[in-house]
Amino acid sequence: MHIWIRVLGTLAVTALLTSPLWAPSWGRGLLGEIGLLPFPGNLLVVIAFFGLVALYCASLHVLMKRAGAARPASVWWMFAIPANFVEDFYIVHRVDAQIRSRTTTVARLSWLWLGYGWCGFQILSLFPGIVGLIGGGLALVLWLTHWVLTVVLSRKLR
């Protein structure tokens, strides 16, 4: 069942990412928004964002290792675009399964729901127009909050 969710979800994400090509009346979407900043500024923004994602993945990797995970490197699937938009939910779930017995319920559930929240709003950010902008803004806030809690939990597991 999970493979079908991953495949169909990735197809839906791909459709949203490419919507400016086949439904230009919907708006420019995420790729169009990146293009609003002229080169090389747009390239620097993309590089900086992927750099932050790499640091976030490193934080998740450390958390998984400290929790005794068998496959902590699985968090790096966040770079498998466009599949990562769906895979991120599974990554959050896998990390949660590793920290479940090692942290308090409140901290873990906060971490879990913040994780699912940024994943969901990240997908919403792919929609064109104001819905995508609001979704993207909320995704960034939840993602950064989740990252801070990831570091806090990781330090507690030292």
Side-chain angles (χ1 to χ4, degrees):
M1 179 66 177
H2 292 283
I3 190 70
W4 287 108
I5 293 171
R6 286 176 162 120
V7 168
L8 294 175
T10 300
L11 288 173
V13 163
T14 303
L16 284 170
L17 280 170
T18 61
S19 66
L21 301 174
W22 53 267
S25 63
W26 289 6
R28 292 188 279 207
L30 179 64
L31 297 178
E33 290 167 12
I34 292 169
L36 290 175
L37 191 62
F39 184 81
N42 55 6
L43 178 62
L44 293 173
V45 167
V46 171
I47 289 170
F49 178 74
F50 283 122
L52 290 173
V53 172
L55 292 172
Y56 174 70
C57 285
S59 298
L60 288 175
H61 190 120
V62 167
L63 179 60
M64 292 268 290
K65 282 176 68 174
R66 288 183 178 165
R71 294 181 21 222
S74 65
V75 300
W76 294 94
W77 279 102
M78 285 192 185
F79 281 99
I81 299 167
N84 69 309
F85 287 86
V86 177
E87 190 62 29
D88 290 346
F89 287 97
Y90 289 97
I91 291 168
V92 167
H93 179 77
R94 279 193 306 273
V95 174
D96 175 66
Q98 293 300 315
I99 66 172
R100 181 167 285 148
S101 66
R102 309 275 323 266
T103 189
T104 67
T105 302
V106 172
R108 185 187 64 78
L109 287 175
S110 298
W111 186 91
L112 178 67
W113 289 107
L114 277 169
Y116 286 152
W118 77 254
C119 291
F121 283 113
Q122 171 186 241
I123 290 178
L124 197 60
S125 76
L126 300 176
F127 284 82
I130 192 71
V131 171
L133 287 173
I134 291 171
L138 290 171
L140 285 172
V141 169
L142 291 176
W143 177 56
L144 292 172
T145 307
H146 189 258
W147 190 353
V148 168
L149 191 51
T150 298
V151 171
V152 168
L153 290 174
S154 185
R155 287 182 179 160
K156 287 183 179 180
L157 293 180
R158 272 191 200 171

